[in-house]
Amino acid sequence: MCICRRIAVDFIPTEVDTGQRGSEAELPVWDAIKSAFGADDLGIAYYKYPVIDKSGEDYDREPDFVLLHQELGLIVIECKGYQIDHIDTIQGQVWNLQGISQSKAKPHPQARDQAFKIRSYFARESELTDEMGRCKIPVNVFIALPNISREEWTDCGYDELPSTPRVLTSDDLSPQSLRDQLNKTPKMEALSSEEFRAARSVLGGGTVIGNEGTAAPPDPTTKGELYDTVEQRLPKLDQKQEEIGIQIPPGPQRIRGIAGSGKTILMAMKAARMHAKHPEWDIAVTFMTKSLYPQIQSLISRFYWHFAEEEPNWNKLRLLHGWGGHTVLDGMYYVLSQNSEAHDFLNVGDARARFGRFEKTPDLLDSCCASLLESGDAPTMFDAVLIDEAQDFLPNFFKMCREALREPKRLVWAYDEAQSLNSLTAPRSENIFGTNDDGELLVDLSGSYEGGIQKSQIMRKAYRSPREVLMAAHYFGMGLKREQGAVQAITTKPGWENLGYEVVAGDFRRTGEDIRIRRPEENSPHPLSEHEEARPFVRFSAAETKREEIELIAESISQDITAHGLDPEQIMVILLDRETQEDADEPTDRLDEATADDIVFNRVWDGESSVFAVDDEVTVTRINRAKGNEAAMVYISGLEYVDNVSSGQSLVRRRNQAFVAMTRTRGWCHVTGTGSCDAFDEMRSVLDGVTADEPEMVFPAPDPQSLENEMEAEPEPTTLTDFISEEG
């Protein structure tokens, strides 16, 4: 049985600007399209489909409406807000106009060329072509004229012209009339479920991130072969991801997503989409982890090629690390400081001297941003700013980015509310931007913009890590089985549901009452879950000494490579208990000694800050550099660190580091520790729960007053496409 959308047709507005010419005519047509389909239809409809046809000056714009339907094929509708008196004559393909700013138009060739542009994408996919290489999906084009009646059109004789296109007049905008007109297109053999999914993936941009390697073996047995199934079978983009990625909001937008839900991919897709539609805009994409730079650049390039078939203009679309500096990558704070006459840029050393040498990097950056804002000369430089890894930034960075924006302050930020190394909770809008003198939110994320684009989106599905790993990470990261009580927790049913869980028993209001939580398989659709031989996905081992622990990891890595077929670069070792680079050298030296001579270890702290994994080398990293990266097999050394009160790190931070480390895996996770501590027994109890036949988390409802950190659940608006049902 497959899980797919069967809610009639999915309707996705990609950009709605009510101030643009023609929008008043387009919105009634969009409403009519949304009303014309029922529960027996399977398809997807776009308002302003994001593809630019650059084949000629006349058609360098997007189609107004694109519909892909399992039985009707591809339909492109171009909307014109003309009244009948605006059309003087129609000569062939040219409409001569009067009484408006335009004198001529070619609506039918425009829509036709856009339709064939989209169809050419289908022709690249073998599933969508026949034996002769011809595309299986037919194309039909309509011109929508919502301000002209059928009688007016026929009275002028336009319906009898030899080159007249199919038109949808004001009389055709009722649900039944519109459907009748669409049904008059030539009949086709309905697309199979596989063909429809392939076509939808093409439209949604999923083919951009598809795997082009060799097919996975039919009966995988080794880790290497099993991991090939992950590469081949992970969904490309689901409906929610596609919707978020292609939309251009007319103002601020927040994207909340669980670990592994694809937020970085979607931010890259959104940036490419903005750049393709608005090449004149100045756009910035900013993030904290420097090693994300090549990944984000590659993703944006691939998505932009999909939309516009050329390379991005990196002078207009800029990738900026959060801080930046004279001798490192450009950063948001650095670029804005360089363009400010009243504020001098502060590097890390300058910031420590001014604000405190023992301050953490996020706090230092936030103080620098505050100083720039207080100067009163934060420059306005961008039309859109997209912040990935938003959970790693503090409020003044957000305020600085917003200050750098031209109206309508198009700030888009994506965060994982449980991925910060410092806190479980991402700040609420009012805590970041504040309120005005009347107590109104400066950035209100409730509801949606006119036309249907949501101001806040949430992603509950996690694709990166197997279900058991993600559950164990949340379970242990919050300390829900900790003998002394939870460290931090989500204390409401809606809060857990926002992360894609189900609360099946218990009342959070009754402290101490058992809470039982499960994670539906559809919210963690990982390909390895279908292979029993791939289990266990998460393990724990304890050793008497640190040397024995490292030797255990080294032996396991050797087996991963020589017996199980994993490539060295698919393996990551995270050293939880090593707080400095010098500390991390010691266990890495032991790994070198304990493994075969031909296994090379990449100490990420010795290389370029923008480079993480290296071909043919096993990655060894501390937690700060691991964040934002992933591997097929992840080893986590030093679990005893989470109970080390002398480390100088808060208990919340130590727990969050363990959580982040565990969610770096795309397949398997092996946690190790030295000696004996309470955290070891807790981890064993956690794994007993999540590796059972029916994985679940069972813990006493915590007392919110005893928690070091409590996650607050904000209500989420329900979108038109936020309902899922099963279809065989």
Side-chain angles (χ1 to χ4, degrees):
M1 178 174 290
C2 65
I3 303 296
C4 62
R5 300 264 171 179
R6 188 72 169 185
I7 56 165
V9 176
D10 292 326
F11 302 102
I12 299 181
T14 68
E15 182 178 29
V16 181
D17 186 348
T18 55
Q20 284 188 340
R21 186 182 65 188
S23 62
E24 290 184 2
E26 292 165 0
L27 289 174
V29 178
W30 180 234
D31 289 339
I33 292 171
K34 290 191 290 184
S35 301
F37 298 93
D40 292 333
D41 293 290
L42 183 61
I44 183 168
Y46 298 86
Y47 183 2
K48 299 295 185 184
Y49 179 72
V51 64
I52 308 296
D53 183 0
K54 294 183 178 290
S55 58
E57 293 182 2
D58 290 341
Y59 313 124
D60 191 8
R61 59 190 302 277
E62 298 168 315
D64 292 325
F65 307 102
V66 170
L67 171 65
L68 174 68
H69 191 277
Q70 190 174 26
E71 297 177 356
L72 299 176
L74 180 70
I75 294 174
V76 172
I77 302 174
E78 180 64 25
C79 182
K80 298 298 182 185
Y82 309 144
Q83 297 179 9
I84 193 65
D85 293 340
H86 294 152
I87 304 174
D88 184 21
T89 60
I90 297 179
Q91 297 177 327
Q93 304 284 1
V94 179
W95 294 21
N96 297 300
L97 307 174
Q98 59 186 9
I100 55 175
S101 59
Q102 280 183 289
S103 61
K104 295 181 183 297
K106 299 178 181 179
H108 185 249
Q110 175 180 318
R112 181 196 61 208
D113 288 1
Q114 291 164 343
F116 280 101
K117 179 72 173 180
I118 298 170
R119 193 169 185 253
S120 70
Y121 293 167
F122 294 148
R124 301 172 186 171
E125 300 297 313
S126 59
E127 287 183 89
L128 303 177
T129 56
D130 60 20
E131 296 82 358
M132 303 295 293
R134 296 170 299 200
C135 182
K136 297 178 181 178
I137 302 176
V139 171
N140 288 285
V141 170
F142 288 84
I143 308 302
L145 303 169
N147 295 325
I148 297 176
S149 69
R150 180 68 61 179
E151 181 179 4
E152 290 174 325
W153 183 257
T154 56
D155 283 350
C156 291
Y158 295 144
D159 60 319
E160 298 179 354
L161 296 175
S163 59
T164 188
R166 296 187 182 93
V167 297
L168 301 171
T169 66
S170 59
D171 307 88
D172 301 317
L173 298 185
S174 67
Q176 188 58 53
S177 296
L178 177 56
R179 187 56 188 267
D180 289 343
Q181 290 296 325
L182 297 180
N183 284 341
K184 291 178 181 178
T185 57
K187 298 302 177 185
M188 59 167 274
E189 183 178 346
L191 296 172
S192 68
S193 296
E194 293 75 16
E195 290 168 341
F196 178 78
R197 280 194 290 269
R200 175 160 183 165
S201 181
V202 170
L203 284 181
T207 53
V208 173
I209 59 172
N211 188 290
E212 298 179 356
T214 58
D219 298 306
T221 56
T222 67
K223 280 183 179 178
E225 292 173 342
L226 287 163
Y227 188 64
D228 284 341
T229 69
V230 176
E231 295 284 275
Q232 293 291 330
R233 298 186 56 192
L234 269 179
K236 294 175 180 177
L237 287 177
D238 66 29
Q239 188 276 335
K240 172 64 75 174
Q241 291 174 316
E242 175 192 342
E243 176 184 343
I244 294 171
I246 66 174
Q247 289 180 335
I248 302 177
Q253 186 181 48
R254 177 185 61 187
I255 301 167
R256 302 167 60 185
I258 194 169
S261 56
K263 296 178 293 298
T264 296
I265 290 173
L266 301 191
M267 294 296 273
M269 182 178 180
K270 192 182 287 286
R273 157 78 169 127
M274 288 181 178
H275 185 44
K277 176 66 187 294
H278 300 284
E280 76 283 1
W281 282 6
D282 294 296
I283 301 169
V285 181
T286 185
F287 42 88
M288 180 65 83
T289 304
K290 292 179 183 177
S291 57
L292 276 180
Y293 190 97
Q295 177 186 348
I296 292 178
Q297 184 177 43
S298 174
L299 285 168
I300 289 175
S301 293
R302 288 152 64 187
F303 278 118
Y304 189 73
W305 189 267
H306 175 76
F307 294 136
E309 295 189 330
E310 61 184 19
E311 283 297 311
N313 178 354
W314 296 111
N315 292 319
K316 301 296 285 185
L317 173 54
R318 303 186 65 178
L319 306 186
L320 301 173
H321 178 249
W323 198 317
H326 300 290
T327 60
V328 295
L329 298 170
D330 276 352
M332 177 63 75
Y333 165 65
Y334 173 73
V335 167
L336 295 179
S337 297
Q338 292 296 101
N339 286 274
S340 171
E341 296 182 0
H343 175 80
D344 292 329
F345 170 72
L346 300 172
N347 62 29
V348 175
D350 297 332
R352 283 180 174 149
R354 178 179 297 189
F355 303 116
R357 60 178 299 189
F358 296 112
E359 290 293 314
K360 300 183 181 71
T361 300
D363 297 308
L364 288 173
L365 175 58
D366 199 61
S367 296
C368 292
C369 296
S371 180
L372 174 57
L373 290 168
E374 289 165 3
S375 74
D377 190 36
T380 300
M381 296 180 59
F382 298 105
D383 298 283
V385 172
L386 294 84
I387 306 175
D388 194 18
E389 303 186 308
Q391 71 275 358
D392 292 337
F393 295 103
L394 296 175
N396 285 312
F397 183 83
F398 287 85
K399 293 176 184 176
M400 179 188 71
C401 290
R402 186 169 183 266
E403 193 69 21
L405 282 163
R406 305 180 182 104
E407 292 293 341
K409 301 292 185 181
R410 193 175 280 101
L411 181 68
V412 181
W413 66 99
Y415 71 78
D416 181 338
E417 45 205 326
Q419 273 282 22
S420 170
L421 296 181
N422 298 297
S423 171
L424 183 69
T425 307
R428 297 164 66 100
S429 176
E430 56 265 41
N431 296 334
I432 299 175
F433 303 106
T435 58
N436 60 21
D437 293 338
D438 297 326
E440 299 171 336
L441 291 173
L442 290 176
V443 177
D444 186 356
L445 298 173
S446 61
S448 61
Y449 293 103
E450 185 175 357
I453 295 178
Q454 295 289 336
K455 296 180 182 179
S456 178
Q457 291 274 19
I458 189 164
M459 299 161 65
R460 298 175 177 88
K461 289 189 176 183
Y463 294 97
R464 181 195 300 131
S465 302
R467 178 173 59 156
E468 293 91 324
V469 177
L470 184 61
M471 291 179 69
H474 279 126
Y475 212 173
F476 185 82
M478 297 184 198
L480 298 175
K481 294 292 284 187
R482 184 171 171 263
E483 186 176 349
Q484 301 90 332
V487 176
Q488 51 189 341
I490 304 166
T491 58
T492 65
K493 182 178 179 180
W496 281 102
E497 291 171 345
N498 282 346
L499 292 181
Y501 287 91
E502 292 180 348
V503 179
V504 297
D507 187 340
F508 284 100
R509 295 170 296 182
R510 299 175 180 174
T511 299
E513 178 175 308
D514 271 356
I515 305 293
R516 290 176 54 232
I517 292 178
R518 292 179 180 171
R519 183 168 187 81
E521 288 185 271
E522 58 264 30
N523 285 349
S524 285
H526 199 279
L528 285 180
S529 63
E530 302 172 11
H531 298 275
E532 189 60 35
E533 62 272 26
R535 289 181 166 83
F537 299 120
V538 54
R539 301 169 54 200
F540 170 70
S541 300
E544 291 291 330
T545 66
K546 181 58 65 175
R547 177 175 293 279
E548 289 178 6
E549 180 191 358
I550 296 300
E551 288 175 350
L552 183 156
I553 293 173
E555 174 60 26
S556 188
I557 289 173
S558 296
Q559 289 295 308
D560 286 338
I561 296 172
T562 60
H564 294 292
L566 285 178
D567 295 328
E569 65 270 18
Q570 294 175 325
I571 303 171
M572 182 194 308
V573 181
I574 301 174
L575 306 173
L576 276 186
D577 58 341
R578 301 294 158 158
E579 298 181 21
T580 67
Q581 295 177 4
E582 291 77 10
D583 287 341
D585 278 326
E586 179 190 356
T588 312
D589 289 341
R590 292 181 182 172
L591 282 171
D592 279 326
E593 295 169 3
T595 53
D597 293 338
D598 56 349
I599 296 180
V600 179
F601 291 91
N602 163 35
R603 307 166 191 240
V604 297
W605 53 87
D606 286 340
E608 293 289 333
S609 60
S610 61
V611 176
F612 189 75
V614 177
D615 287 348
D616 300 321
E617 297 183 11
V618 175
T619 304
V620 186
T621 178
R622 294 161 56 236
I623 187 62
N624 285 346
R625 289 292 301 276
K627 212 179 131 314
N629 294 284
E630 57 191 33
M633 179 74 224
V634 173
Y635 292 90
I636 302 170
S637 169
L639 188 67
E640 69 276 3
Y641 169 75
V642 301
D643 279 349
N644 183 5
V645 295
S646 65
S647 68
Q649 303 286 359
S650 71
L651 182 54
V652 167
R653 180 176 173 84
R654 284 177 270 140
R655 287 281 167 164
N656 287 348
Q657 289 177 346
F659 172 84
V660 170
M662 294 176 72
T663 56
R664 297 307 89 209
T665 184
R666 300 187 75 200
W668 300 272
C669 175
H670 191 166
V671 185
T672 63
T674 298
S676 177
C677 64
D678 291 343
F680 292 4
D681 292 333
E682 180 189 345
M683 178 62 78
R684 293 184 183 103
S685 180
V686 163
L687 297 188
D688 285 344
V690 302
T691 58
D693 290 339
E694 290 290 338
E696 64 179 12
M697 302 155 67
V698 182
F699 55 91
D703 178 2
Q705 300 301 317
S706 70
L707 298 172
E708 294 195 22
N709 195 9
E710 180 183 7
M711 176 182 288
E712 300 179 24
E714 295 184 65
E716 287 294 330
T718 299
T719 69
L720 286 171
T721 55
D722 203 22
F723 304 92
I724 303 175
S725 61
E726 291 190 0
E727 179 193 321

